[in-house]
Structure formats: C-alpha cells, structure tokens
Amino acid sequence: MSVDGLLSQKLDLTEIAFEAAPHGYLLLDPDFTIVNVNRCYLDLTGSHRADLVGMNIFEAFPDNPEDPTADGVRNLRLSLETARETQQPHAMAIQRYDIPVRDGEPGDFEQRYWKPLNTPVIEGGAVVGLIHHVEDVTEQIVLQRDQAIRWRSAQKLHDLALWEYDHRTRTAFVSRPFAAMQGLADCEGTMSAEVCFEPILAEDRAAVEAAFAEAAQQPDHSAIAFVHRVVLPGGDQRWLSSHGELVRDHRSALPRFLLVSNDITETKRREVDLARAVEERDALIVQKEALLGEVNHRIKNSLQLVSSILNTDARRAEDREIRSRLMDAASRVNAVTSVHEMLYQSNEVSSVAFGPYLRDLCDTLAAGDAQAVQAELTCDPVEVRLSADKAIPLALMVNELVANAIKHGLNGSTGGRIAVSTSLEGEALILSVSDTGKGKAETATPGLGTRIIDGLVAQLGATMAAPPDPKGHTVTVRVPIEPT
C-alpha cells in the first residue's frame, strides 16, 4: 500500500475512533468555533451535526434566558481561554449548564449538570484547536440529592460548609451552607472570586488570596488552611476557619482546591472575653500588689516606731529585769519589721528571699547582744523563697533561739560561738541553731522566749528537737514548706 494510502487509512481510523468514543467530544478551533462533534456528544445534547458544526459553541449552547443565575457561558469561556493561554488542560468543577431542547418549543431548555475538561491541541508550539470533553453527571446529581440533604443536615449540626475554588479562572463552586456562612445570597453553584470574596474583611482578603496563590504552586494534595473574617449584610462580623487540599482531576490538569469551612465566631469571642478577663485579672493583681506593698511599708513604719519606743523605755529603765524585757521585746519587733521592709523593697509583696533576709537578721543580732558578750555568730542559709506567713514566724524563732543561746547556752560567758543554718530536705526547711555552751538547765522554768518558740513551732506545723551535742547545745526545727 502506498504512503498516501497508509495516511488515508490512519486518518480514517482516527475519525472512526473519534466518532465511536464513549464520551462526548467537541473539536473547536482557537476561536471556539465547532469543527467536529462525535456521536456521543450529539446523543448527550439531543443535537444534530448540522446544528453544531461551523457555529461558535456559545451560540450553539447559550445560557438559559429564563435563569437569571445562569453562568455556564461565562465559566466555560474562562476555562477554554485558560487552556488556550496556558497550553495546559483545564478541568472545570461540576457545572450546571442547561441546554436547548432541539425538538421542543423555541426557548425550551433542559436542566443538565456537566463535568467538562478542556484540552489544547498544540502543533509547532501553537494552539491550533481545543478538545472539549464532557461527562453528563445529571443523573449522578439527582441520585445524590438525598445524600446531599443528609450532608447539609450534618453540616448544620457540625457547623461545616463545603466549597471549591479554581485559582486560575478565579471561580468558586459554593454549597448553600457556605454561601450562608460567607454572608452571600441564598444560592448554590459557581460564582466569580470577586463575588465569593466580596464579604471578606478588606484586611483579610489579601491574605486569603495570597494563601491560594502560594498553595497553587505546591504538589498535589498539599494542604491549605487560613482564617478570615466576613462582614454580614447587617454589619456583624463572623470568623471562619477553612481547611482543604489542592487536587487535580488528572495528572496534567490545572489545580483546584476542595475546602471545608466552619464558623469559629463563638470560639473567637470566648478568646476575646478570656483575654479581657486576663487583662482585668492582671490589673487587679497589680493593684493588689501595690496595696500590699503600701501595707507592708506602713506596717514597717509602725513597727519601727514601736521598736523605737521600746528601746527608749529600755534605756530609761533603772531595773535590770525590766530593761532586759523591753530590749527583748524591741528585738522581736525588729525581726518582724525586717520581713516587712524586705517585702516592701522587693518586687514580691507576698514572698521573701529567706536566705538574704536571714543573713541580715543574723548581722543585726551579731551587732547586738552577741557582740555584748563577745560571741561569734555565723550564718549559713539555703537560698529559698518563702511566703510571708512562713518567713515572719521563722524570723521570730531565730531571734528567740539566738537570744536563748546567748542567755542560757553561753550563760553570759564570753568568747562563745553561735551557728545558724538552714537546709532543704524534700518539702521541708531544716533550721538549726547551735552554740558552744551547755544549754539551759533541765530543771529551769520555761520562760517567755521558750513559750514563744513553742507557739511558733505549733503555728508553722513544725517539729522541734534538741539532739545530744558533745560540743555544746543544738536545736533543730523541721518546717513543712512549699517554696515559692
């Protein structure tokens, strides 16, 4: 067979295959004029070849003039133009596109749903035609209506809404729940991005567009997520959260997005209310701390005045016993005053760094009664923060234990040593006060200092022991604490 014969046979076979294809096909020129149509397409549309070949596709299949929402011509034109300009196939979302009833009354249209795919025919780097492939999915849509009703009920129950977006043609296919959620008119179907995004708050719209533009460059099935605000017709604002995936109907098709959105307005309102409550709480805490600071300052001043009066009376007292008792009382007041002074001077108004405080207290005691009997007073505290209701009783306890060590342990002798230390054992603070004296006689009557110490031990829920010490006398107090 000659070459011409082979070519003729090949062309005949191509024409036969085109005609026998199980799906509907139109062959269009670059201006969208119908060049050829196969049998399946004629059957799907109820058309005759003579009705279509040589006509512009939009003249052959105009929008239904009785449907003011019809957008089939617009969306199909955008898809064909996209395939022609990008030289890439473009798959459209399911499109309602009513078709004329060829053998009916003039102006009669039949409702149909289609799944179109438009593929450019390229020769020599230029688009010489387009293949318009359609699947009639009307029956599927009808069969899915019951399921759709159930799905919409589920969406209402769970506050979810489905929609699709084609970034290239800037068209969106919205469900009725999404349209309501987005503040659009009560509708379901395809619309332009301008209409779909128009209710979005202006400052959020650019971010939404940027999210789609960035995600469109990613591989298939890449995730997309964003949050935006919409302004409803009445002026109220609503927060929506959207999640979806980038999909293609086949390997070389241009991408589109399948998304689900839910209304998170109440969650956002709760977040705002919570943030406001936290701010109010923080403001109250600041006010409370300022008030506590002022209270500590005034208490310190008042106690200093009391201590000054006691010291003045002690210096004037002629009786040694009275003078001693007044000076002991002034020492106790000073121990409490020091805690309030440290609370006032620090940023903390309810807790104190007990290590530095104990050092200051021991320095004060060392310069007082201890110096008078030439006793050496050392201090080895652990670093820990204690609440004021722990620090004040402990300060008084150290004051009394050191005073007892000077008066009874060293028994007025000179050159002795007194050691004050603290340590941590689990959730307990261990206070130890030891001296090189012999301690208080067992037969001695408990004095005021001893009774004060016993009361403080009970107040702190502590335990006190005086284990045998061959080098002198030691008192150990175990105080349960929760370090702050």
Side-chain angles (χ1 to χ4, degrees):
M1 182 178 293
S2 66
V3 174
D4 290 341
L6 288 173
L7 288 174
S8 176
Q9 184 178 11
K10 184 176 181 181
L11 289 173
D12 290 343
L13 183 59
T14 302
E15 184 67 27
I16 292 171
F18 177 78
E19 183 69 16
H23 294 157
Y25 288 97
L26 283 181
L27 181 59
L28 309 175
D29 70 11
D31 295 323
F32 312 144
T33 297
I34 300 172
V35 176
N36 202 354
V37 55
N38 74 343
R39 171 53 55 187
C40 182
Y41 192 94
L42 293 173
D43 291 342
L44 288 173
T45 60
S47 304
H48 302 288
R49 192 179 303 273
D51 296 332
L52 303 181
V53 174
M55 292 190 67
N56 185 282
I57 187 173
F58 303 116
E59 294 177 359
F61 296 99
D63 277 332
N64 183 352
E66 299 299 322
D67 182 2
T69 65
D71 55 7
V73 168
R74 174 192 177 278
N75 295 329
L76 178 55
R77 186 187 299 277
L78 282 172
S79 178
L80 290 169
E81 289 174 348
T82 298
R84 183 180 62 189
E85 292 167 7
T86 64
Q87 297 191 4
Q88 294 289 326
H90 185 264
M92 296 174 62
I94 293 175
Q95 173 72 49
R96 177 180 170 178
Y97 200 136
D98 297 351
I99 60 173
V101 179
R102 301 296 178 182
D103 298 327
E105 295 293 328
D108 284 352
F109 278 76
E110 181 180 359
Q111 185 182 103
R112 292 289 189 90
Y113 288 87
W114 309 89
K115 189 175 183 180
L117 172 65
N118 298 304
T119 305
V121 179
I122 302 172
E123 184 176 355
V127 175
V128 297
L130 296 126
I131 299 174
H132 175 58
H133 164 230
V134 293
E135 291 183 54
D136 185 351
V137 294
T138 305
E139 185 175 351
Q140 297 175 34
I141 296 296
V142 172
L143 291 175
Q144 290 171 359
R145 280 181 180 172
D146 288 345
Q147 181 180 357
I149 292 172
R150 290 192 295 270
W151 171 241
R152 282 194 290 270
S153 299
Q155 290 182 92
K156 291 178 181 178
L157 179 64
H158 298 288
D159 213 13
L160 301 175
L162 294 176
W163 57 298
E164 298 181 18
Y165 180 62
D166 187 323
H167 176 66
R168 175 68 67 173
T169 62
R170 293 182 55 77
T171 56
F173 182 86
V174 303
S175 63
R176 184 165 277 103
F178 178 77
M181 193 178 288
Q182 185 81 344
L184 302 167
D186 183 17
C187 62
E188 183 171 59
T190 305
M191 63 181 61
S192 67
E194 287 72 17
V195 173
C196 183
F197 296 161
E198 197 273 335
I200 298 178
L201 200 65
E203 57 197 82
D204 292 352
R205 194 177 306 143
V208 172
E209 298 266 19
F212 279 120
E214 180 180 354
Q217 308 302 317
Q218 303 305 313
D220 203 11
H221 296 296
S222 295
I224 182 173
F226 53 86
V227 174
H228 68 277
R229 290 164 291 177
V230 297
V231 180
L232 302 182
D236 292 338
Q237 283 191 14
R238 176 180 290 161
W239 285 87
L240 302 186
S241 175
S242 298
H243 298 263
E245 283 190 7
L246 176 70
V247 298
R248 291 175 174 85
D249 285 340
H250 61 84
R251 186 172 55 187
S252 60
L254 293 174
R256 59 193 175 93
F257 295 92
L258 299 181
L259 304 109
V260 60
S261 297
N262 66 304
D263 189 333
I264 59 170
T265 304
E266 289 305 315
T267 300
K268 284 291 184 179
R269 286 175 180 165
R270 285 194 293 269
E271 290 177 0
V272 170
D273 291 343
L274 178 60
R276 186 181 298 113
V278 169
E279 289 179 1
E280 292 174 354
R281 181 208 62 185
D282 292 344
L284 289 173
I285 289 175
V286 170
Q287 294 175 9
K288 175 186 174 183
E289 290 178 347
L291 178 60
L292 286 175
E294 181 63 23
V295 168
N296 284 319
H297 181 53
R298 295 192 179 192
I299 290 174
K300 180 207 72 169
N301 290 342
S302 298
L303 291 175
Q304 283 180 336
L305 179 60
V306 172
S307 177
S308 178
I309 293 172
L310 290 172
N311 282 319
T312 299
D313 289 346
R315 286 193 297 269
R316 292 177 178 175
E318 296 180 0
D319 186 280
R320 177 176 295 181
E321 178 67 20
I322 294 176
R323 183 185 306 114
S324 176
R325 289 181 179 276
L326 288 172
M327 292 182 67
D328 287 346
S331 178
R332 293 172 185 129
V333 172
N334 283 335
V336 178
T337 301
S338 298
V339 175
H340 285 285
E341 182 174 18
M342 184 165 286
L343 288 171
Y344 171 68
Q345 292 177 347
S346 69
N347 292 328
E348 295 285 345
V349 295
S350 58
S351 66
V352 62
F354 195 68
Y357 166 73
L358 190 57
R359 291 190 192 94
D360 291 344
L361 177 60
C362 288
D363 288 344
T364 301
L365 295 173
D369 291 344
Q371 187 179 44
V373 298
Q374 299 179 2
E376 178 187 2
L377 177 60
T378 62
C379 184
D380 182 23
V382 68
E383 299 301 327
V384 63
R385 294 199 71 86
L386 297 178
S387 60
D389 59 354
K390 295 286 187 183
I392 291 174
L394 276 169
L396 287 170
M397 189 180 296
V398 170
N399 184 81
E400 296 302 324
L401 289 172
V402 170
N404 281 354
I406 293 172
K407 291 180 181 180
H408 306 293
L410 300 180
N411 197 20
S413 63
T414 60
R417 293 190 300 276
I418 302 173
V420 178
S421 67
T422 57
S423 60
L424 292 174
E425 290 185 7
E427 295 184 353
L429 177 74
I430 309 301
L431 168 66
S432 175
V433 180
S434 61
D435 61 71
T436 56
K438 296 181 180 180
K440 191 174 184 178
E442 294 182 2
T443 58
T445 302
L448 177 61
T450 300
R451 293 196 296 274
I452 289 175
I453 292 172
D454 289 343
L456 293 171
V457 168
Q459 178 182 339
L460 291 169
T463 57
M464 183 172 65
D469 187 348
K471 296 181 181 180
H473 181 70
T474 299
V475 175
T476 302
V477 181
R478 186 181 186 90
V479 184
I481 61 167
E482 294 180 2
T484 61

mmCIF file of all heavy atoms in Angstrom, residues 369-376 410 413-417:
data_model
loop_
_atom_site.group_PDB
_atom_site.id
_atom_site.type_symbol
_atom_site.label_atom_id
_atom_site.label_comp_id
_atom_site.label_asym_id
_atom_site.label_seq_id
_atom_site.Cartn_x
_atom_site.Cartn_y
_atom_site.Cartn_z
ATOM 1 N N ASP A 369 23.231 41.770 121.030
ATOM 2 C CA ASP A 369 23.539 41.002 122.231
ATOM 3 C C ASP A 369 24.768 40.120 122.061
ATOM 4 O O ASP A 369 25.543 39.925 123.004
ATOM 5 C CB ASP A 369 22.337 40.145 122.630
ATOM 6 C CG ASP A 369 21.178 40.993 123.139
ATOM 7 O OD1 ASP A 369 21.419 42.174 123.454
ATOM 8 O OD2 ASP A 369 20.049 40.475 123.185
ATOM 9 N N ALA A 370 24.970 39.538 120.873
ATOM 10 C CA ALA A 370 26.121 38.656 120.659
ATOM 11 C C ALA A 370 27.423 39.425 120.822
ATOM 12 O O ALA A 370 28.400 38.928 121.402
ATOM 13 C CB ALA A 370 26.037 38.021 119.272
ATOM 14 N N GLN A 371 27.448 40.645 120.284
ATOM 15 C CA GLN A 371 28.650 41.465 120.421
ATOM 16 C C GLN A 371 28.889 41.841 121.880
ATOM 17 O O GLN A 371 30.043 41.937 122.336
ATOM 18 C CB GLN A 371 28.521 42.717 119.562
ATOM 19 C CG GLN A 371 29.796 43.566 119.514
ATOM 20 C CD GLN A 371 29.627 44.787 118.638
ATOM 21 O OE1 GLN A 371 28.598 45.469 118.719
ATOM 22 N NE2 GLN A 371 30.613 45.074 117.814
ATOM 23 N N ALA A 372 27.804 42.028 122.614
ATOM 24 C CA ALA A 372 27.930 42.429 124.013
ATOM 25 C C ALA A 372 28.655 41.366 124.835
ATOM 26 O O ALA A 372 29.368 41.685 125.800
ATOM 27 C CB ALA A 372 26.558 42.714 124.607
ATOM 28 N N VAL A 373 28.479 40.087 124.482
ATOM 29 C CA VAL A 373 29.160 39.006 125.216
ATOM 30 C C VAL A 373 30.328 38.454 124.415
ATOM 31 O O VAL A 373 30.846 37.366 124.715
ATOM 32 C CB VAL A 373 28.170 37.877 125.566
ATOM 33 C CG1 VAL A 373 27.057 38.395 126.476
ATOM 34 C CG2 VAL A 373 27.565 37.275 124.300
ATOM 35 N N GLN A 374 30.724 39.194 123.377
ATOM 36 C CA GLN A 374 31.876 38.820 122.531
ATOM 37 C C GLN A 374 31.716 37.423 121.935
ATOM 38 O O GLN A 374 32.663 36.658 121.811
ATOM 39 C CB GLN A 374 33.186 38.905 123.340
ATOM 40 C CG GLN A 374 33.482 40.296 123.865
ATOM 41 C CD GLN A 374 34.754 40.357 124.687
ATOM 42 O OE1 GLN A 374 35.458 39.356 124.854
ATOM 43 N NE2 GLN A 374 35.053 41.530 125.227
ATOM 44 N N ALA A 375 30.461 37.076 121.565
ATOM 45 C CA ALA A 375 30.203 35.784 120.937
ATOM 46 C C ALA A 375 30.265 35.932 119.414
ATOM 47 O O ALA A 375 29.840 36.943 118.855
ATOM 48 C CB ALA A 375 28.833 35.260 121.352
ATOM 49 N N GLU A 376 30.766 34.896 118.753
ATOM 50 C CA GLU A 376 30.840 34.877 117.290
ATOM 51 C C GLU A 376 29.552 34.239 116.739
ATOM 52 O O GLU A 376 29.205 33.117 117.112
ATOM 53 C CB GLU A 376 32.064 34.088 116.827
ATOM 54 C CG GLU A 376 32.165 33.986 115.301
ATOM 55 C CD GLU A 376 33.276 33.055 114.853
ATOM 56 O OE1 GLU A 376 33.951 32.457 115.710
ATOM 57 O OE2 GLU A 376 33.446 32.899 113.615
ATOM 58 N N LEU A 410 25.298 29.985 126.431
ATOM 59 C CA LEU A 410 26.602 30.511 126.797
ATOM 60 C C LEU A 410 26.616 31.004 128.240
ATOM 61 O O LEU A 410 27.684 31.193 128.834
ATOM 62 C CB LEU A 410 26.992 31.658 125.852
ATOM 63 C CG LEU A 410 27.078 31.287 124.367
ATOM 64 C CD1 LEU A 410 27.467 32.515 123.536
ATOM 65 C CD2 LEU A 410 28.084 30.159 124.139
ATOM 66 N N SER A 413 28.845 33.791 129.425
ATOM 67 C CA SER A 413 30.300 33.693 129.213
ATOM 68 C C SER A 413 30.680 34.396 127.933
ATOM 69 O O SER A 413 29.855 34.613 127.057
ATOM 70 C CB SER A 413 30.729 32.231 129.180
ATOM 71 O OG SER A 413 30.110 31.567 128.082
ATOM 72 N N THR A 414 31.950 34.744 127.809
ATOM 73 C CA THR A 414 32.430 35.437 126.612
ATOM 74 C C THR A 414 33.235 34.495 125.741
ATOM 75 O O THR A 414 33.774 33.490 126.203
ATOM 76 C CB THR A 414 33.304 36.637 127.013
ATOM 77 O OG1 THR A 414 34.419 36.169 127.773
ATOM 78 C CG2 THR A 414 32.505 37.654 127.815
ATOM 79 N N GLY A 415 33.289 34.868 124.454
ATOM 80 C CA GLY A 415 34.110 34.106 123.505
ATOM 81 C C GLY A 415 33.447 32.875 122.941
ATOM 82 O O GLY A 415 34.107 32.077 122.270
ATOM 83 N N GLY A 416 32.163 32.684 123.159
ATOM 84 C CA GLY A 416 31.474 31.521 122.610
ATOM 85 C C GLY A 416 31.132 31.693 121.135
ATOM 86 O O GLY A 416 31.330 32.750 120.529
ATOM 87 N N ARG A 417 30.589 30.613 120.561
ATOM 88 C CA ARG A 417 30.211 30.639 119.140
ATOM 89 C C ARG A 417 28.754 30.165 118.997
ATOM 90 O O ARG A 417 28.345 29.193 119.635
ATOM 91 C CB ARG A 417 31.127 29.752 118.304
ATOM 92 C CG ARG A 417 32.555 30.268 118.229
ATOM 93 C CD ARG A 417 33.375 29.475 117.190
ATOM 94 N NE ARG A 417 33.432 28.060 117.510
ATOM 95 C CZ ARG A 417 34.298 27.505 118.343
ATOM 96 N NH1 ARG A 417 35.193 28.266 118.971
ATOM 97 N NH2 ARG A 417 34.306 26.211 118.576
#
